[in-house]
Each structure stands twice: as C-alpha cells, then as structure tokens.
Amino acid sequence: MRSYFDLEQNDGRIFPGEKRGTLVKYILDKFAEEELSYWQAFNVLETVKSELEDACIVKGHS
C-alpha cells in the first residue's frame, strides 16, 4: 500500500497519514467488493464530495 504523509489542518490538528491510508484502503476494498467500475467508483466519490460540502459547517477562528 502507498504511504501517505500527515496533513496539518487549518485548526492546527494533524490528520495522520496512516489513518488516511487506512481509510483509502477501506474505501477501495469496498468498491472492489461491490465490483464497481472506475466510472461508478468515481461517481460515488463525486457524490460523497458534494454531500460532504452540503453537510459541513465552516466555522471562523476567533
């Protein structure tokens, strides 16, 4: 599996690369389990991205 580097979020917290890699592997394994084509998997990810943008609340720093 590819290794992922840590990311620093806007609030200073760290999103560990190892956790990101684990989640990527989980998602890809689920796509494989469902026998999705590239196009189907891409469409699912685009839909999730859209839903995530709609669901997130952006908070300013004080």
Side-chain angles (χ1 to χ4, degrees), residues 28-59:
L28 291 176
D29 286 347
K30 290 300 283 182
F31 286 172
E33 183 181 305
E34 295 294 325
E35 299 180 354
L36 297 183
S37 68
Y38 169 83
W39 182 86
Q40 291 168 328
F42 184 84
N43 187 269
V44 168
L45 292 174
E46 287 292 310
T47 303
V48 169
K49 181 180 175 187
S50 176
E51 293 291 329
L52 185 61
E53 289 170 350
D54 290 344
C56 287
I57 299 172
V58 178
K59 295 181 181 180

Side-chain angles (χ1 to χ4, degrees), residues 5-17 20:
F5 52 88
D6 295 348
L7 296 174
E8 184 175 357
Q9 300 171 178
N10 290 339
D11 61 5
R13 293 185 299 164
I14 301 296
F15 184 33
R20 203 161 45 114

